Amino acid sequence: VNVSGKWGYINREGDMVIEPTLDDVLDFSEGRASANVGGRWGFINRRGEVVINHTFDFAGRFTEGLASVMSRGVWSFIDKSGFKFKNLQFYNAWGFSEGLACVEIGGTWGYIDKQGKLAIKPSFSSAREFSEGLARVQKNGKWGYIDVKGGMVIVFDFEEANDFLEGLASVRKNGAWGFIDRTGKFVIKPDRKSTRLNSSHTDISRM
């Protein structure tokens, strides 16, 4: 919650459990929250104690035991002790999901495993995290979906696309939003009356 320009945390009962002294924060994940103090990012625990010092230009959420962090324009990964994997350094990076993280190398995006080895060769203009075994990737301005081995599952056919949730993903084609299944088939046909559909399946307007 934000109080007079500072961020803190409340519990489900609405009680303040971490006082609003932070300049910016992300949600808790795996018992840690990324927090900004004085323009530098680090991590706190659920008691508000600093567990990884505020030394980063930015720090993402912990997923699968690792978090992406950025210093001096270079992205890398740390574990929960704060140990930085110096062999994992990239132009940009998202967090790990389903054992893989999407990273930018030389202007294109691919995926690495937790040992830092390339699992899916960089060949995409943009990429996102895996969800339910599929990840959305972009080429030539269009989005499609790949599996964890890099195989093309749903061809590049969409102007925008969101993650799969409960077997469905919202996508925009020819200016209209609809839902596809894991084969790429529309189960809810595109409707121009809908201005936005997201992966939560709830953000639907003017339907």
Side-chain angles (χ1 to χ4, degrees):
V1 293
N2 188 291
V3 180
S4 300
K6 295 290 186 178
W7 289 89
Y9 292 85
I10 59 175
N11 60 20
R12 292 184 179 182
E13 287 71 43
D15 301 320
M16 187 70 69
V17 292
I18 297 177
E19 292 298 318
T21 61
L22 305 165
D23 295 323
D24 202 356
V25 295
L26 298 182
D27 292 337
F28 270 89
S29 177
E30 299 185 3
R32 303 282 189 271
S34 177
N36 181 304
V37 175
R40 307 296 289 175
W41 289 81
F43 291 86
I44 59 174
N45 62 20
R46 292 187 178 277
R47 294 186 295 274
E49 300 165 337
V50 175
V51 291
I52 298 175
N53 289 332
H54 300 276
T55 60
F56 306 109
D57 295 334
F58 186 76
R61 297 183 304 116
F62 272 98
T63 57
E64 300 185 5
L66 298 174
S68 58
V69 295
M70 189 264 285
S71 296
R72 298 181 180 180
V74 176
W75 286 85
S76 55
F77 291 87
I78 60 172
D79 64 17
K80 289 186 178 180
S81 73
F83 175 79
K84 182 185 288 189
F85 295 87
K86 294 183 179 180
N87 63 317
L88 306 182
Q89 296 189 357
F90 308 97
Y91 293 107
N92 208 340
W94 290 81
F96 276 88
S97 61
E98 302 183 19
L100 301 176
C102 51
V103 297
E104 184 183 4
I105 302 174
T108 56
W109 289 79
Y111 292 80
I112 59 167
D113 62 21
K114 290 184 178 180
Q115 286 71 49
K117 296 178 180 179
L118 277 176
I120 299 173
K121 182 180 178 181
S123 61
F124 309 109
S125 56
S126 191
R128 295 295 184 269
E129 298 167 338
F130 278 90
S131 177
E132 299 186 1
L134 298 177
R136 49 192 165 120
V137 292
Q138 187 186 50
K139 270 189 178 181
N140 300 318
K142 296 286 188 178
W143 290 87
Y145 293 83
I146 59 172
D147 60 25
V148 294
K149 293 184 178 181
M152 203 75 214
V153 177
I154 300 173
V155 298
F156 299 101
D157 200 30
F158 310 110
E159 295 138 19
E160 293 186 69
N162 288 305
D163 293 339
F164 273 88
L165 179 66
E166 297 179 357
L168 298 179
S170 58
V171 296
R172 184 166 68 93
K173 184 174 182 179
N174 298 325
W177 285 89
F179 282 101
I180 58 172
D181 63 17
R182 292 174 56 85
T183 69
K185 178 182 177 181
F186 275 101
V187 295
I188 298 178
K189 293 183 178 180
D191 186 344
R192 291 185 180 276
K193 294 180 181 179
S194 172
T195 59
R196 181 74 182 179
L197 302 172
N198 70 13
S199 57
S200 71
H201 301 177
T202 59
D203 184 13
I204 302 175
S205 54
R206 301 211 306 266
M207 285 290 282

